[in-house]
Amino acid sequence: MSESRARVDLHRIREELPRDVGEIVAAYERHLGLERGLSAHTVRAYLADVVSLLGFLHGLPAVGGVRSIDRSKGKGVAALDLTALRAWLAAQRTAGVGRTTMARRSASARTFTAWAHRRGHLARDPGARLASPRPHRKLPSVLRQDQASEVLEASKKGAAELDAVALRDHALLELLYATGIRVSELCGLDLDDVDLEKRLVVVLGKGGKERSVPFGEPALRAVVDWLRRGRPALARPTSPPSLLLGARGGRFQPASVRRIVHEALNAVPGVPVMGPHGLRHSAATHLLEGGADLRSVQELLGHATLATTQLYTHVTVERLKAIHDRAHPRSR
């Protein structure tokens, strides 16, 4: 099912929920966005899972061909118990939902039931007893260090022509690779968030957490060139104080960043296909290969737990094995 079709179905289900249930969903949405400070994208993902669950509970046609049950018996959210949670997940699995998505939806359900219990909508928290499949932790695709250099050098040549857009794109690529920040964090940067003298950017990460991330000389040169020669050409009287600007002078958007990264990587032969997150993965891997400790990389990337950062150690080990197999005279 297409993403747009899924959104339409979820909107329809939300509109058909009983009024009191709809009010609880609205309160949960405010909690996620205002109290927890989650991004709009994360809030939409959480709500989609909760609306699917509640629609299933109330016998509404569910998304993706999953058949619904009606166990609410007029009790609304209060009828949500462990049996209903398991039935919802079983129906998702039967409909062909993948293991990783199942794990995410289980987590979404547990987050909702814990909140609903704290607010008095549930006498008990059934999600506390809900087991879920562990998602497969796939090793992220990363660039080799020489490939990263090739991509950035190609971008630098384009910027040398002093075209405003090329200068912006080069600064964008250098910053993404130098800092490992997320696309949303990059697009949220304002001019005051960049300290050129100290070579630091202050980013607002997940959950509204602020952190400072250093960057190197190549990124500094790219950003300075953009600010001096590129940004003034794109800025309008109504332009926001954002670091990066679009062709019409507005704040740069994540979709545009993804397009630029794809185009930059595709322009270099032999470079694997990936998006901006691939540059983030690459930056983390290269930091570890260069001797950085896990805690430092965790802080730079803004990971909430060290377990997320540890995924990159597997990438590094696999690369070391490949180098050993290729280069050591007694590897075979």
Side-chain angles (χ1 to χ4, degrees):
M1 174 178 290
S2 68
E3 183 178 352
S4 59
R5 172 67 183 279
R7 286 182 179 178
V8 169
D9 283 354
L10 286 167
H11 178 74
R12 172 179 51 78
I13 293 171
R14 185 172 179 177
E15 290 294 316
E16 294 180 8
L17 288 171
R19 183 174 180 179
D20 59 332
V21 176
E23 290 174 351
I24 291 174
V25 172
Y28 184 58
E29 182 176 12
R30 291 192 295 272
H31 162 73
L32 295 174
L34 300 178
E35 296 178 26
R36 293 190 56 184
L38 300 180
S39 69
H41 177 78
T42 302
V43 171
R44 283 196 300 270
Y46 272 57
L47 280 182
D49 293 335
V50 169
V51 168
S52 174
L53 169 62
L54 295 176
F56 182 85
L57 181 70
H58 286 82
L60 300 177
V63 179
V66 177
R67 293 185 177 181
S68 297
I69 59 173
D70 187 356
R71 301 186 70 258
S72 61
K73 300 176 183 178
K75 297 179 182 179
V77 173
L80 190 57
D81 56 17
L82 185 59
T83 301
L85 289 174
R86 287 173 174 169
W88 175 63
L89 289 175
Q92 305 264 346
R93 189 60 176 159
T94 301
V97 174
R99 188 184 183 93
T100 300
T101 303
M102 289 280 291
R104 192 208 75 209
R105 290 180 178 173
S106 298
S108 294
R110 285 194 295 270
T111 301
F112 173 72
T113 58
W115 172 85
H117 176 56
R118 290 195 304 271
R119 293 297 177 91
H121 302 303
L122 289 172
R124 299 180 181 81
D125 178 9
R129 298 171 55 202
L130 180 66
S132 62
R134 294 181 65 86
H136 293 300
R137 300 298 298 271
K138 295 182 179 179
L139 297 180
S141 298
V142 295
L143 300 174
R144 299 192 309 267
Q145 292 186 33
D146 62 302
Q147 290 176 326
S149 295
E150 285 186 59
V151 170
L152 294 172
E153 284 300 315
S155 172
K156 182 179 178 180
K157 290 179 181 177
E161 299 179 5
L162 302 183
D163 174 74
V165 171
L167 287 166
R168 178 203 62 200
D169 294 353
H170 181 54
L172 176 157
L173 290 166
E174 285 281 7
L175 269 181
L176 279 177
Y177 177 65
T179 62
I181 61 177
R182 302 176 178 92
V183 172
S184 59
E185 295 169 346
L186 175 73
C187 293
L189 286 176
D190 285 338
L191 293 170
D192 291 342
D193 295 326
V194 184
D195 189 326
L196 298 176
E197 184 177 347
K198 295 181 179 179
R199 286 192 281 122
L200 288 173
V201 291
V202 179
V203 300
L204 194 63
K206 290 185 175 181
K209 295 180 180 178
E210 187 177 275
R211 70 185 190 281
S212 297
V213 186
F215 55 88
E217 289 287 347
L220 173 65
R221 290 192 292 269
V223 171
V224 169
D225 284 345
W226 153 247
L227 292 176
R228 290 178 179 173
R229 304 176 180 182
R231 194 179 187 281
L234 298 183
R236 303 288 186 271
T238 56
S239 292
S242 54
L243 175 65
L244 300 177
L245 295 176
R248 297 180 181 178
R251 184 176 290 275
F252 213 51
Q253 299 301 310
S256 298
V257 176
R258 297 186 182 95
R259 173 182 55 79
I260 289 165
V261 172
H262 277 296
E263 290 176 353
L265 295 178
N266 289 337
V268 180
V271 172
V273 177
M274 62 178 66
H277 220 63
L279 290 183
R280 177 172 162 87
H281 292 320
S282 300
T285 302
H286 298 166
L287 280 168
L288 289 169
E289 289 177 341
D293 62 273
L294 273 174
R295 287 290 182 187
S296 298
V297 176
Q298 177 191 7
E299 181 66 24
L300 290 170
L301 297 182
H303 286 157
T305 64
L306 192 60
T308 305
T309 313
Q310 284 176 326
L311 181 63
Y312 295 107
T313 63
H314 299 299
V315 176
T316 301
V317 169
E318 290 302 314
R319 179 162 298 174
L320 289 175
K321 286 181 179 179
I323 293 172
H324 181 274
D325 290 344
R326 185 172 65 249
H328 199 282
R330 296 182 67 85
S331 62
R332 299 179 185 280

